[in-house]
Amino acid sequence: MFDQFSKDAVVRPRIDFRLVSGILGGLIFCLGVSMLLPCLIALIYHEASWSAFLITAGGTMAAGGLLFYRYKPEHELRMREAFLIVALIWFLGSLFSAFPFVLSGSLESYTDAVFEAMSGLTTTGATIFGGITASGIQNPDIESLDKSILFWRSLSHWLGGMGIIVLTLALLPLLGIGGMQLYQAEYSGSTADKITPRIQETALLLWTIYVGLTAGEFVLLWLHPSMDWFEAMNHAFATLATGGFSTKNASVAAFDSVYIDAVITLFMFLAGINFALHFRMFTGDPKPFFENREFRFYVLLTAIFTVGIVGGLVITQDYSIGEALQYGTFQVVSIVTTTGFGTDDYMLWLPFSSFLLFLLFFTGGCAGSTGGGIKMIRLMIIMKNISREFKQLIHPQAILPIRLGNKVVEQKILKTILGFFVMYFIVFAAGAIIMTTMGFDMMSSMGASIASLGNIGPGWGEFGPINNYAKIPIFGKWVLLILMMIGRLELFTVLVLFTPWFWKN
């Protein structure tokens, strides 16, 4: 690939690190500004942690502002630089976001703080609070944390849900650079529905819908007497981001409310839908919403697993129909959207129901949603490809294209998706193998790996819904938090940085 030329005909390097540094500076500065919100919460509740947020916000804004001022972007952003920026902002953002946990005294270990920060920004929801670390440190329970710390965990979810990158896209044209490359890198592997011709308008519209849905859930949760405004806001942030951090040790189960379970189930399901479809619906054009084949597949798969698990709970475990519907539906939607909230300990379910739920760890929401995982569109295309292979055996000379509606899936897209599947399971297996070397059993190792890679949060075995990740050694925590980042950024966006071709002409 030949490098592009600037307007003054001067050859730019294959990767413009000045441009990368400038844009990263702007994004880091925005992250620092967001830390002022939990600082305000700390002041409202008279918590000493306000100073931790103020110091971190000041340092983050200073570092970001200095980088942006020193390397103010002057050229058009190219794809390699976009990939580098997307990967680095999630990593650097987690490093900066970890400091309030340490400076406030909530955590002693910086590794634990980075783990919690990465889990928040990648909307994974895996936590180290409430457990004893491998070095014998007792991390505090979630309910003993300052409200400002709880708010920062949920806010990091909310920012990471739609993406810090997408939020800032609206500002990039003001700097004289295009933003479509970042949008494509953020949603690598799926079709980016721009909604409007201008990417900054797209970003603003997506965020408007995101804020609107968050506000709607906040009001509905606040109406229930068991939730005050603070708990309602935190759970609304975590739900729409498909994150899963709760203000309670027992997660959503602590509220023991059918109403709250139903509201959160509904909004988890909505958060797992492509936000471009939400836009069509809200602008009075519901036809694309219901005709979208990925959405139909999402509904069908969720319904099938819900029926199977609810039936299993009723038949094999003596749950009443009402209890099975409440707990079974909640857990299905929570896992399929990679939210990770919990209302029941699925580790106590008998094999039939628990195995069905485990299969959902390998799914994910729709492309263009805040959910992680493999994504429904990829599962659809893989299933269509399997069907085509059977037909090809019967009709070896026939030309059998794969279609989504009236559109033929291009061969290069099919190859990319097949490559994604292979790489996804290689990374999952590598993560599980590393965990077994640390003495964890097979199911716990597999559960921790897929829960991190799929951005689900609660895993299996020793890392189930009522447990945490505190006991994992330092190296293991870094492995899992890297898996969180790789999974959130759709694998190739991060892994391409480790190929020699990325750094060569």
Side-chain angles (χ1 to χ4, degrees):
M1 182 183 293
F2 295 96
D3 285 326
Q4 298 180 17
F5 291 83
S6 60
K7 294 181 180 180
D8 57 2
V10 176
V11 178
R12 292 171 58 188
R14 66 177 68 91
I15 298 177
D16 189 341
F17 287 102
R18 294 177 62 88
L19 175 65
V20 170
S21 298
I23 296 178
L24 282 175
L27 295 171
I28 291 170
F29 180 85
C30 292
L31 179 64
V33 172
S34 71
M35 294 179 186
L36 295 176
L37 290 175
C39 181
L40 178 61
I41 295 293
L43 291 173
I44 291 174
Y45 285 98
H46 307 290
E47 296 171 345
S49 53
W50 68 268
S51 59
F53 285 105
L54 188 61
I55 292 171
T56 307
T60 304
M61 287 189 289
L66 182 63
L67 269 178
F68 179 77
Y69 178 78
R70 180 68 179 82
Y71 303 110
K72 187 173 181 179
E74 296 178 351
H75 299 288
E76 185 70 20
L77 188 66
R78 298 169 298 183
M79 186 55 70
R80 286 195 225 198
E81 292 145 356
F83 279 125
L84 191 57
I85 289 168
V86 169
L88 285 178
I89 189 55
W90 288 96
F91 186 71
L92 294 175
S94 298
L95 297 183
F96 280 101
S97 299
F99 282 107
F101 294 110
V102 177
L103 295 179
S104 66
S106 300
L107 291 171
E108 295 183 32
S109 168
Y110 181 66
T111 291
D112 281 4
V114 176
F115 184 95
E116 197 76 10
M118 180 68 81
S119 183
L121 288 174
T122 57
T123 71
T124 303
T127 186
I128 45 74
F129 283 112
I132 301 176
T133 68
S135 57
I137 299 173
Q138 174 66 63
N139 289 332
D141 291 335
I142 292 172
E143 292 178 30
S144 67
L145 297 173
D146 286 351
K147 290 186 179 297
S148 56
I149 295 294
L150 292 174
F151 182 81
W152 177 232
R153 293 168 81 238
S154 300
L155 181 62
S156 66
H157 265 346
W158 197 71
L159 294 174
M162 183 60 72
I164 299 172
I165 304 296
V166 178
L167 173 64
T168 314
L169 284 179
L171 304 178
L172 291 179
L174 301 178
L175 310 178
I177 56 178
M180 193 59 203
Q181 293 92 334
L182 281 178
Y183 186 72
Q184 291 171 336
E186 171 77 356
Y187 294 101
S188 174
S190 62
T191 303
D193 189 341
K194 290 175 61 178
I195 304 176
T196 64
R198 290 180 172 273
I199 189 62
Q200 67 268 31
E201 293 178 16
T202 299
L204 288 173
L205 286 171
L206 290 174
W207 273 95
T208 300
I209 295 167
Y210 192 51
V211 171
L213 287 172
T214 304
E217 184 184 3
F218 164 72
V219 171
L220 290 175
L221 291 176
W222 194 14
L223 289 174
H224 196 274
S226 67
M227 271 199 180
D228 59 22
W229 73 270
F230 181 80
E231 290 171 327
M233 180 177 293
N234 278 268
H235 285 85
F237 280 174
T239 302
L240 264 297
T242 62
F245 277 155
S246 175
T247 57
K248 301 293 185 180
N249 294 322
S251 190
V252 179
F255 298 100
D256 192 24
S257 167
V258 175
Y259 173 81
I260 288 177
D261 288 358
V263 170
I264 292 180
T265 299
L266 171 63
F267 280 90
M268 285 192 297
F269 185 80
L270 292 176
I273 300 172
N274 189 326
F275 273 73
L277 295 181
H278 287 306
F279 171 79
R280 303 299 185 195
M281 175 67 78
F282 290 150
T283 53
D285 184 18
K287 188 176 180 181
F289 194 99
F290 297 105
E291 290 185 348
N292 183 272
R293 292 181 181 272
E294 184 186 23
F295 171 71
R296 291 182 185 178
F297 183 76
Y298 173 59
V299 173
L300 178 63
L301 185 142
T302 303
I304 290 173
F305 277 83
T306 298
V307 171
I309 289 176
V310 168
L313 293 177
V314 171
I315 296 171
T316 65
Q317 296 196 234
D318 296 327
Y319 277 56
S320 69
I321 294 178
E323 289 174 336
L325 283 171
Q326 178 185 355
Y327 300 128
T329 303
F330 187 97
Q331 289 304 152
V332 167
V333 177
S334 179
I335 299 302
V336 79
T337 60
T338 72
T339 305
F341 276 140
T343 55
D344 199 16
D345 185 1
Y346 52 75
M347 293 301 301
L348 300 178
W349 293 357
L350 292 179
F352 176 77
S353 297
S354 60
F355 180 71
L356 287 180
L357 193 69
F358 183 70
L359 292 178
L360 291 177
F361 277 62
F362 298 89
T363 56
C366 299
S369 71
T370 57
I374 291 174
K375 299 292 192 304
M376 292 294 163
I377 189 69
R378 293 192 181 101
L379 293 173
M380 280 182 62
I381 292 175
I382 287 296
M383 292 179 67
K384 285 179 175 289
N385 185 63
I386 292 172
S387 175
R388 182 182 67 169
E389 291 302 316
F390 281 115
K391 293 178 182 177
Q392 200 79 64
L393 289 174
I394 306 301
H395 306 285
Q397 303 301 319
I399 299 176
L400 303 171
I402 295 177
R403 298 178 181 275
L404 285 179
N406 297 323
K407 296 181 180 180
V408 175
V409 178
E410 297 179 21
Q411 195 64 26
K412 64 178 182 180
I413 294 178
L414 179 59
K415 289 180 179 179
T416 299
I417 291 175
L418 291 173
F420 176 92
F421 263 84
V422 172
M423 185 57 64
Y424 194 90
F425 282 94
I426 288 175
V427 174
F428 156 64
I433 290 171
I434 291 173
M435 293 301 293
T436 60
T437 64
M438 299 178 188
F440 297 107
D441 63 85
M442 184 180 70
M443 285 306 300
S444 297
S445 299
M446 292 174 61
S449 181
I450 192 59
S452 299
L453 183 62
N455 305 132
I456 297 166
W460 219 259
E462 296 185 51
F463 310 109
I466 64 171
N467 300 313
N468 55 70
Y469 290 77
K471 67 178 71 174
I472 298 174
I474 290 176
F475 176 71
K477 287 173 181 172
W478 281 97
V479 169
L480 293 184
L481 68 86
I482 293 299
L483 287 182
M484 294 177 199
M485 186 177 77
I486 292 174
R488 176 63 180 88
L489 299 178
E490 304 277 314
L491 268 75
F492 290 136
T493 305
V494 178
L495 296 180
V496 70
L497 304 182
F498 298 95
T499 64
W501 308 286
F502 180 84
W503 305 99
K504 294 180 180 180
N505 286 336

